[in-house]
Amino acid sequence: MKTIINFTPTTDSKEWHTITDAVMGGVSKSNFEVSTNNLAIFSGHVSLDNNGGFAMVKHSTSLHCKNYTTICITLKGDGKAYQFRIKENSETKHWFIAPFSTNGEWQTIEIKLSNMYAMFRGNKVDIPNFSAENINEIAFLIGNKTAEDFKLELKSIALK
């Protein structure tokens, strides 16, 4: 197991950037903060107004993942569906994604890297699933075609 991040009060939340549909005229709102009890909290409201409907938080990183097959995320969601996203190169427009559901309890989500498929602006891209040796960005996204409040608590992210 290789820890990517354990959230602690010393984790710099400014290294995580929120992006919403406001980049295209929407009015969704989101926030990312690191709490004093070793959790990161991604929360807000997704609005469908002005053709909106998503919120994302992303983090630039430099991870060698050649000897690993799985991402393990310890989290507590709100019963809603989310996406975990990775990029092997920050310059590419597409993300490799894996949808996951939360159950309102603490859980560890395990995602096979080779199952992550390419998407760009909500459309599947016709390229092979993730097989790179590096990860340069990670992200969480909510966009369920529903106006809704959301809250995703993150404890840790690791490679296995």
Side-chain angles (χ1 to χ4, degrees), residues 126-143:
D126 190 20
I127 61 173
N129 285 5
F130 184 80
S131 63
E133 294 182 5
N134 297 299
I135 298 172
N136 284 348
E137 284 188 283
I138 60 176
F140 294 91
L141 180 137
I142 184 166

Side-chain angles (χ1 to χ4, degrees), residues 108-127:
T108 298
I109 305 289
E110 293 197 2
I111 299 167
K112 292 273 187 216
L113 289 169
S114 62
N115 289 346
M116 297 185 75
Y117 55 92
M119 295 278 288
F120 177 66
R121 292 189 178 156
N123 297 303
K124 195 165 183 184
V125 179
D126 190 20
I127 61 173

Side-chain angles (χ1 to χ4, degrees), residues 4-38:
I4 297 171
I5 190 161
N6 272 327
F7 291 99
T8 68
T10 60
T11 303
D12 187 355
S13 63
K14 291 183 177 83
E15 292 180 359
W16 292 77
H17 304 281
T18 58
I19 300 167
T20 66
D21 50 34
V23 297
M24 51 186 238
V27 294
S28 296
K29 303 282 185 206
S30 69
N31 185 53
F32 184 85
E33 63 184 339
V34 179
S35 71
T36 55
N37 57 344
N38 299 333

